[in-house]
Amino acid sequence: MSMAVTRLSPSTLWNSKMPSLFYITLIAILCATFYLVGIWQHSLGPIPNSSSSSSSSSAAAGFLISAPCSSLQSNQLDFLPHHLPPDPSPVGARVPHLPPCDPSFSEYTPCEDVQRSLKFDRNMLIYRQRHCPEKKELLNCRIPAPYGYKVPFRWPESREFAWFANVPHKELTVEKKNQNWVKVEGERFTFPGGGTMFPRGADAYIDDIDKLINLKDGSIRTAIDTGCGVASWGAYLLSRNILAVSFAPRDTHEAQVQFALERGVPALIGVLASIRLPYPSRAFDMAHCSRCLIPWGQYDGLYLIEVDRILRPGGYWILSGPPINWENHWKGWNRTADDLKAEQSLIETVAKRLCWKKIVQKNDLAIWQKPTNHIHCKVIKKVFKQPRFCQTQNPDMAWYTKLETCLTPLPEVFNIKEIAGGQLTKWPERLNAIPPRISSGSLTGITEKMFVENTEVWKKRVAYYKKIDYQLAETGRYRNLLDMNAYLGGFAAAVIDDPVWVMNVVPVEADQINTLGVVYERGLIGTYQNWCEAMSTYPRTYDFIHADSIFSLYKDRCEMEDILIEMDRFLRPEGSVIIRDDVDVLLEIKNILDVMQWDGRIVDHEKGPHEREKILFAVKQYWTAPKQNQQGIKTLS
């Protein structure tokens, strides 16, 4: 089969193409027309509201004839919005003004101010407790170092020496002249290591304790010294890997806590009065009082009840001085034998009611031990009904918490050999072992895995810090460190091999997860603190401050400026600060630091520049109060 092929004639092809060519030509003419009209309108600007068509035509004609081609390209397209509200009137940013305070404030402790304390009750030493200034009373200035201030001696030399210009007080050298507390030799103090009850020195005194209880096997790591003097007991325990918190009230003996911190020994201003000590329950392996002048048997044993709260199950209480060994000392103590005998009898009675066991009394030392659980104690309470067990109070709540004459119950156990709250690993393994408060699940929301991860994170962070802050990396450059928001103590654990100690602070605002007990279970030390108030320490007592998210925590609680002024107060000249926080927060902080005579810079997070959290490194410049002549008139130097 074949197919026929049809051929179109040329005229037929031409007729089929005519409509396409027509439409193409028409479209080209229209495009050109609209293009020329667009150029004309854009070049003339807005069309007048009232104009005739004839005038418009002539204007367009004139423009097209006379305008050079270059003028068509001179105008830029405007992409800006034109429907925004007007900008607000400019407001000048407040520039902080933080001048130096008067030199008379060089040793100012805001919450233990002597003049303010006189307004309060002297009963039970309430007037020596914390009494902080109100907002209107806060100083808006920077505490000066005394003229001639010098960077303290490095540890361990600082244990024996301090510069007189840094703590210009001779009262103790006169009052304790025969007890070898402290002496003046030229421009410096020396600390022979003596004490009221250890004339052979603190080291020999600790040796005597070691013969009665084992201080070497790592079971005793944390200690507390009440009424510490210049903290020689705590200073000499450090060589035995025992970390002591020493405390004494302001002005019982001038500057004793200040001397302790100047020596590089942990200490806080504090007193046993009407509120709990700022530590969690079951915190310390050992408590010590050497002639600390605390009336242990009075007020229904209130102060021994508080010692019981902060002692670990199986912990020790050591007492030397009156009334111990009163038979040989009563004449020298200017008290009657009957008075001293009655005092010791009262202490013995209170200790029994607390279920403590007196394990030894030898010469001037007496040592009691707290039970490891309360199974037997519940039986004893059928005989000694007082003090009763506390029913409602949180045993770890210790910030302005009133003392009560009730015994803090230990966690429940199932048999007599079990240690309440869990067995602690011996030091140094204790540092990284899972703390019992976490392994038992008593801290809601914190797991064993989180603890391990937190420890590793802080090892990496501290390594990063040391790459940037060469002074932190320099062995011996710093001694007294403060972590303002310690959480699980990860920062302190990461610097454990350095010759430093860290005061780990758990802010009371973080009380939903109170982690200070974990810090102590790791064999570290710390305290509670509200950073809207001043810390119970003297000016210039810390070499280094670490602040992790502390300003975000206190946003809308108190002024950033007030917290920075407090940090400046207790940071030593040429001391360093590391602040971690959101970048916007750090920029605000940097503006304030610029008028505080601090040198600071903001660097990226250790994970890189894409993290909003940044790190601010800052150093406090060296400056002091001006020199004064003999008439007390300030002179330039």
Side-chain angles (χ1 to χ4, degrees):
M1 186 174 78
S2 63
M3 181 179 292
V5 177
T6 305
R7 291 180 175 272
L8 298 175
S9 66
S11 60
T12 304
L13 289 172
W14 171 255
N15 292 334
S16 65
K17 293 179 181 178
M18 282 295 291
S20 298
L21 290 175
F22 174 78
Y23 288 126
I24 290 171
T25 304
L26 179 62
I27 291 170
I29 294 171
L30 290 173
C31 287
T33 303
F34 289 132
Y35 175 72
L36 292 174
V37 172
I39 291 176
W40 168 63
Q41 288 183 337
H42 179 71
S43 302
L44 288 180
I47 298 173
N49 291 333
S50 56
S51 61
S52 64
S53 58
S54 60
S55 62
S56 298
S57 301
S58 61
F63 170 79
L64 292 174
I65 295 171
S66 63
C69 293
S70 60
S71 68
L72 301 179
Q73 301 173 357
S74 63
N75 293 303
Q76 301 297 320
L77 294 177
D78 182 9
F79 293 102
L80 296 176
H82 294 280
H83 299 284
L84 295 176
D87 291 334
S89 301
V91 178
R94 189 181 75 85
V95 178
H97 180 58
L98 302 172
C101 301
D102 188 272
S104 62
F105 287 97
S106 67
E107 293 180 359
Y108 181 55
T109 53
C111 296
E112 288 84 14
D113 180 61
V114 177
Q115 295 303 315
R116 184 182 296 104
S117 70
L118 297 177
K119 303 175 184 178
F120 296 92
D121 192 353
R122 288 179 173 266
N123 182 44
M124 295 180 65
L125 298 181
I126 289 174
Y127 75 109
R128 281 188 171 151
Q129 291 179 165
R130 285 175 58 88
H131 300 291
C132 296
E134 297 179 4
K135 173 65 178 175
K136 62 183 179 182
E137 300 178 276
L138 294 178
L139 293 180
N140 196 39
C141 56
R142 294 172 288 122
I143 301 296
Y147 178 78
Y149 178 89
K150 298 181 180 180
V151 174
F153 291 94
R154 292 195 175 190
W155 183 266
E157 191 179 9
S158 64
R159 187 176 69 175
E160 276 79 39
F161 302 105
W163 295 112
F164 177 80
N166 294 7
V167 192
H169 295 286
K170 293 185 178 180
E171 294 86 347
L172 279 177
T173 65
V174 176
E175 184 175 347
K176 301 294 180 180
K177 182 179 180 180
N178 298 325
Q179 297 173 18
N180 282 330
W181 276 28
V182 57
K183 296 180 179 180
V184 178
E185 295 179 356
E187 293 184 344
R188 65 185 187 180
F189 291 106
T190 62
F191 301 91
T196 308
M197 294 307 300
F198 33 97
R200 294 181 295 123
D203 223 16
Y205 176 79
I206 294 169
D207 284 337
D208 291 340
I209 296 174
D210 192 28
K211 295 171 184 176
L212 304 176
I213 57 175
N214 194 338
L215 301 180
K216 299 187 182 76
D217 67 353
S219 60
I220 296 177
R221 165 62 181 172
T222 56
I224 186 167
D225 190 14
T226 57
C228 62
V230 294
S232 290
W233 186 74
Y236 283 87
L237 279 174
L238 288 166
S239 61
R240 302 167 195 250
N241 278 327
I242 298 175
L243 193 56
V245 176
S246 302
F247 76 88
R250 169 81 193 247
D251 294 320
T252 296
H253 299 302
E254 187 68 44
Q256 52 188 334
V257 168
Q258 192 175 14
F259 274 127
L261 288 157
E262 194 69 18
R263 299 175 71 182
V265 179
L268 289 165
I269 300 172
V271 65
L272 265 172
S274 69
I275 59 175
R276 286 179 172 180
L277 296 174
Y279 315 112
S281 65
R282 313 194 314 274
F284 297 98
D285 301 311
M286 179 169 59
H288 173 257
C289 163
S290 175
R291 198 169 185 174
C292 59
L293 305 179
I294 295 173
W296 295 113
Q298 295 182 23
Y299 312 115
D300 297 320
L302 188 66
Y303 299 142
L304 276 180
I305 289 172
E306 174 62 0
V307 171
D308 178 86
R309 183 186 71 86
I310 62 176
L311 265 185
R312 285 199 209 292
Y316 299 97
W317 183 57
I318 302 171
L319 178 63
S320 67
I324 304 304
N325 200 11
W326 59 268
E327 297 90 343
N328 295 316
H329 293 301
W330 67 274
K331 291 182 180 179
W333 289 339
N334 296 318
R335 292 174 61 184
T336 67
D338 289 341
D339 181 29
L340 289 163
K341 182 179 179 181
E343 182 181 347
Q344 178 155 352
S345 177
L346 187 56
I347 290 173
E348 304 272 12
T349 299
V350 173
K352 287 179 181 178
R353 290 177 175 174
L354 296 176
C355 308
W356 292 4
K357 178 183 179 181
K358 187 176 184 180
I359 60 174
V360 66
Q361 179 173 329
K362 185 176 182 181
N363 299 324
D364 295 336
L365 285 166
I367 303 178
W368 285 263
Q369 186 174 24
K370 179 179 175 176
T372 56
N373 58 62
H374 275 163
I375 289 180
H376 276 166
C377 195
K378 291 177 181 178
V379 177
I380 293 173
K381 283 299 161 194
K382 295 178 181 178
V383 178
F384 297 108
K385 298 189 182 296
Q386 297 296 329
R388 60 180 174 80
F389 282 110
C390 301
Q391 298 297 320
T392 57
Q393 238 180 30
N394 181 348
D396 291 341
M397 187 181 295
W399 187 252
Y400 296 122
T401 304
K402 287 289 185 182
L403 292 176
E404 290 189 45
T405 53
C406 62
L407 181 59
T408 299
L410 290 173
E412 294 290 338
V413 296
F414 296 103
N415 64 73
I416 194 64
K417 294 183 179 180
E418 190 178 348
I419 297 177
Q423 175 72 55
L424 284 176
T425 308
K426 293 183 178 180
W427 183 265
E429 291 75 20
R430 185 187 295 187
L431 180 68
N432 293 314
I434 304 297
R437 277 175 163 88
I438 293 178
S439 60
S440 66
S442 60
L443 282 183
T444 305
I446 299 180
T447 64
E448 295 183 13
K449 181 181 178 182
M450 291 170 62
F451 173 80
V452 173
E453 290 175 348
N454 181 266
T455 299
E456 292 304 313
V457 162
W458 280 107
K459 286 179 182 178
K460 294 176 182 177
R461 287 180 172 180
V462 168
Y464 180 68
Y465 289 167
K466 290 182 176 181
K467 289 180 181 179
I468 298 175
D469 185 347
Y470 298 119
Q471 294 191 102
L472 182 62
E474 181 186 346
T475 301
R477 174 64 182 85
Y478 299 133
R479 173 63 183 168
N480 303 354
L481 277 59
L482 177 74
D483 191 352
M484 295 178 70
N485 191 12
Y487 189 45
L488 302 178
F491 171 80
V495 297
I496 199 67
D497 293 328
D498 297 340
V500 302
W501 61 270
V502 181
M503 184 65 74
N504 294 280
V505 175
V506 171
V508 293
E509 284 71 19
D511 59 0
Q512 290 183 350
I513 304 179
N514 185 344
T515 55
L516 191 55
V518 169
V519 170
Y520 275 94
E521 288 181 342
R522 301 188 74 172
L524 305 170
I525 58 172
T527 184
Y528 295 114
Q529 176 66 39
N530 176 354
W531 287 116
C532 290
E533 299 178 0
M535 189 177 180
S536 291
T537 190
Y538 282 84
R540 303 172 302 280
T541 46
Y542 287 91
D543 306 303
F544 176 93
I545 302 172
H546 181 253
D548 179 14
S549 305
I550 201 71
F551 291 92
S552 290
L553 177 63
Y554 280 90
K555 184 180 180 181
D556 301 325
R557 298 178 190 268
C558 51
E559 298 296 329
M560 176 185 294
E561 190 174 289
D562 293 335
I563 297 176
L564 288 169
I565 290 174
E566 172 61 7
M567 293 168 66
D568 182 82
R569 184 184 72 87
F570 58 71
L571 183 66
R572 287 174 173 160
E574 299 184 349
S576 291
V577 171
I578 293 179
I579 304 174
R580 303 177 67 94
D581 222 311
D582 183 85
V583 61
D584 291 338
V585 174
L586 292 186
L587 289 172
E588 289 185 60
I589 293 172
K590 181 67 168 57
N591 289 336
I592 300 174
L593 295 189
D594 288 343
V595 298
M596 288 177 60
Q597 289 183 268
W598 290 22
D599 297 320
R601 59 188 175 121
I602 298 174
V603 304
D604 285 328
H605 191 278
E606 62 270 6
K607 290 183 179 179
H610 300 298
E611 300 287 332
R612 276 200 62 85
E613 183 178 79
K614 304 294 181 185
I615 306 170
L616 190 154
F617 291 81
V619 177
K620 179 179 176 179
Q621 297 176 16
Y622 176 90
W623 64 279
T624 70
K627 185 178 181 180
Q628 295 184 336
N629 62 20
Q630 293 182 346
Q631 286 74 38
I633 301 173
K634 298 177 183 178
T635 59
L636 297 175
S637 58

